[in-house]
Amino acid sequence: MKRTLMRPDGLPDSLSTPVVTPLMPSVVYASTSPDELDSQYEGRAQGYTYAREGHPNADVLARQINRLEGCDDGLVVGSGMAAVTAALMGLTRAGDHVLGGDQLYGRSLRLMREDLPRLGIETSLADPTNVDAFRAAVRPNTKLVLLEIVSNPTLRIADIDGIAELCRDKGILLVLDNTFTTPKAVQAFDHGADVVLHSVTKLLAGHADVTLGWVGAKDPEIMQKMRIFAVTTGMTPSPFDCWLAERGMYTFDLRFDRTQDTARRLADHLATAPGVKRVLYPTRPDHPDAARAQSVLQGQGCNIVSFELDGGRAQANAFAEAAKGIAFAPTLGDVGTTLSHAASSSHRALTPEQRAALGITEGFFRVSVGLEDPDALIACFDDGLAAARKA
Ligand SMILES: *Cc1c(COP(=O)(O)O)cnc(C)c1O
């Protein structure tokens, strides 16, 4: 007899169930009959059909993020930028105007400046720390506002409550990118957001080994528009990435507490260290938006510290080379501390004058603090500073 394999028609029986979510990479799901398929499509029964339309690992992860954000419905997509795109393009049409904060994530800025206008959607940017600037930028056709609460890399704090009120008055959808702040520091829906989104790649997944996003809304109609757009344009996440991110999320709360404690210590240390011109950290009294940081973040900080070295590119090179053990890499939210230099990465497309207007000089670094021992980490920074002073 020829021995051949067929797919199994089910899993081995077990009265007990796994405590860890199984990884389910199946692209297709089999039904027993056309009638059964009808009942799924007609919403009488829940069932998966094809992974681009949804799969269990994405849904398990989405539910965990929904819980943290306090929202019944959210969708996991293939990247943070997919989440931004699902909101901006899923909820607007040609002729609408989209208003954004002027220090958004680089690719969000590019979407605003290049891609939406190409499709007939007007866009403009305004300073989110100044609600009057935002009010002046609103147009009769403004449909949506995109905000990040803590700007990158200068850590300015948006006037979220002022802008939320403005949006409410004018019937404008408020979309909040809560990546930096996380649901632990900011319950974005409570501040009046209609849509909240994340780059799950960063603090939520937390290990720099997956690229994912999440977007959620409390209004089912808004959610449905974003979901349909995301599915149609193929923003589907990988089941394995969802599985890894779910695993990472169970330590999110602990990681956030630990990294912000270390970040505060590092900020205080750098503030008095020779060779450091200034330090930016939301809970420090010398932060330019200190009072607002206190009220918006409710005493929480973040895992990001930015600082400026005395000197220019030579000092920046010496610092990055000598701060051994700290990855010089432009991401944030990893278990390991990473260092990024805006002038040569995220803000390299700007002219030196445009960068200077934002306070980004050649000596400006952003640190995403990880889980290392705080004393050992501070010692690495001291090595870098000593080398920079000699350069
Ligand atoms: C990284 C990031 C994004 C984009 O997320 P990806 O997962 O890299 O696509 C969007 N917004 C903010 C604030 C980010 O930091």
Side-chain angles (χ1 to χ4, degrees):
M1 194 186 88
K2 194 166 165 203
R3 293 177 194 276
T4 176
L5 293 182
M6 309 279 277
R7 286 202 190 269
D9 60 356
L11 298 173
D13 279 344
S14 172
L15 190 56
S16 49
T17 50
V19 294
V20 173
T21 306
L23 173 60
M24 288 162 278
S26 192
V27 166
V28 283
Y29 288 81
S31 304
T32 52
S33 66
D35 274 356
E36 195 186 280
L37 209 51
D38 272 349
S39 66
Q40 267 181 227
Y41 277 117
E42 288 159 16
R44 282 176 279 117
Q46 160 65 26
Y48 297 99
T49 52
Y50 185 64
R52 194 195 341 90
E53 312 280 317
H55 55 74
N57 289 110
D59 287 350
V60 169
L61 175 62
R63 281 185 201 154
Q64 300 290 29
I65 304 174
N66 297 352
R67 188 163 314 178
L68 294 186
E69 286 291 3
C71 139
D72 292 335
D73 201 5
L75 179 70
V76 170
V77 288
S79 68
M81 277 317 299
V84 173
T85 306
L88 264 52
M89 293 181 63
L91 301 175
T92 56
R93 60 179 68 239
D96 287 343
H97 170 240
V98 175
L99 176 58
D102 59 4
Q103 288 194 54
L104 295 172
Y105 181 71
R107 284 279 161 191
S108 299
L109 282 178
R110 148 118 211 170
L111 186 68
M112 299 273 298
R113 289 204 175 106
E114 313 282 331
D115 300 292
L116 296 182
R118 186 166 49 75
L119 300 169
I121 299 162
E122 293 170 26
T123 63
S124 61
L125 305 172
D127 175 2
T129 65
N130 178 350
V131 70
D132 294 326
F134 247 73
R135 187 173 293 110
V138 167
R139 300 177 188 173
N141 57 339
T142 304
K143 179 70 190 278
L144 182 154
V145 159
L146 174 63
L147 270 195
E148 290 169 25
I149 297 175
V150 176
S151 73
N152 174 24
T154 55
L155 311 188
R156 295 298 305 265
I157 312 289
D159 184 354
I160 168 67
D161 295 315
I163 293 172
E165 193 184 327
L166 172 68
C167 289
R168 216 165 25 242
D169 286 350
K170 305 264 183 196
I172 298 168
L173 292 174
L174 177 59
V175 178
L176 265 185
D177 180 337
N178 206 18
T179 301
F180 249 61
T181 26
T182 82
K184 189 143 181 190
V186 172
Q187 285 287 297
F189 287 110
D190 293 349
H191 285 273
D194 296 292
V195 174
V196 178
L197 62 87
H198 280 278
S199 169
V200 177
T201 312
K202 312 288 172 53
L203 287 130
L204 293 180
H207 293 69
D209 52 10
V210 300
T211 303
L212 286 175
W214 174 94
V215 60
K218 288 194 166 175
D219 179 333
E221 251 177 71
I222 295 179
M223 195 60 225
Q224 186 64 358
K225 283 183 188 163
M226 295 191 293
R227 184 186 302 279
I228 290 174
F229 185 76
V231 167
T232 303
T233 52
M235 295 180 176
T236 316
S238 140
F240 181 57
D241 285 357
C242 295
W243 185 88
L244 270 180
E246 185 207 338
R247 185 189 208 262
M249 273 194 63
Y250 295 115
T251 56
F252 160 66
D253 198 87
L254 288 171
R255 285 185 280 106
F256 192 78
D257 283 349
R258 164 70 181 248
T259 55
Q260 72 160 319
D261 283 350
T262 307
R264 260 182 244 250
R265 271 189 63 186
L266 176 66
D268 292 343
H269 178 79
L270 291 174
T272 56
V276 176
K277 200 186 276 176
R278 64 180 178 133
V279 172
L280 291 163
Y281 191 72
T283 59
R284 281 184 56 83
D286 58 3
H287 186 280
D289 307 309
R292 192 181 296 140
Q294 193 61 33
S295 70
V296 173
L297 304 179
Q298 302 275 306
Q300 302 276 344
C302 59
N303 82 314
I304 309 287
V305 179
S306 293
F307 68 99
E308 194 181 347
L309 288 176
D310 281 327
R313 178 61 73 95
Q315 283 67 32
N317 282 335
F319 178 83
E321 281 168 26
K324 293 262 184 290
I326 302 171
F328 178 53
T331 188
L332 65 102
D334 183 19
V335 290
T337 298
T338 53
L339 184 68
S340 80
H341 182 248
S344 62
S345 58
S346 55
H347 292 64
R348 66 174 300 126
L350 303 188
T351 63
E353 295 71 34
Q354 287 170 322
R355 283 197 291 267
L358 293 172
I360 298 170
T361 58
E362 282 293 342
F364 193 99
F365 280 100
R366 183 196 76 188
V367 186
S368 165
V369 173
L371 298 176
E372 298 90 342
D373 175 75
D375 294 320
L377 188 67
I378 285 171
C380 294
F381 276 83
D382 285 343
D383 290 345
L385 291 176
R389 284 194 300 271
K390 282 198 217 106

